[in-house]
Amino acid sequence: MKIEGPRSIGAAGAPRKASGTAGAGFSLPADGASEAAPASGVRAAASLESIMALQTLGFDPHRRGRQVRRGAKTLDALEALARAHLEGAPPHAERLMLVALQKDVERTGDHALDSVMDEIDVRAAVELAKLEMADRSRNSR
């Protein structure tokens, strides 16, 4: 490795004029005066409709968690209902649990979660309808 001593620094020359290699859309103003151009086309971050929707929904940071827990409890109740049917036991407690859980339905604003919750709620409604039909047929005999 070769170490060289300090090099002499030459005098700064006059600034060079930019050649034609600069970008096609860039140029400096000729008069040297720079004025700030007014911003145009600035759009609002949120539309009026979305702001109104948020106000009508009301923001609740715990809504998503409540619905996730309700979904898990509903799936557990549906599983317990299936077990009760297999064992031949009357599913009174499971029915009451499903009815109570159906009363706590809320929209979260999360489309994926709301879609899954809708599918769980439909399944619970179908099972409740089956139980009601079975009760009607037993009572009509």
Side-chain angles (χ1 to χ4, degrees), residues 3-86:
I3 300 176
E4 296 180 9
R7 295 183 184 193
S8 64
I9 299 175
R16 295 185 211 172
K17 186 171 186 174
S19 64
T21 60
F26 178 77
S27 65
L28 293 174
D31 61 356
S34 62
E35 293 182 25
S40 63
V42 176
R43 294 190 297 165
S47 67
L48 180 61
E49 291 84 19
S50 63
I51 292 172
M52 296 298 289
L54 285 174
Q55 287 178 344
T56 58
L57 265 179
F59 179 70
D60 183 2
H62 305 293
R63 180 178 294 146
R64 188 180 195 298
R66 279 195 309 264
Q67 290 307 296
V68 168
R69 285 188 297 277
R70 185 182 71 81
K73 287 180 183 178
T74 303
L75 290 173
D76 290 344
L78 287 169
E79 186 178 339
L81 179 67
R83 257 187 275 118
H85 280 303
L86 290 173

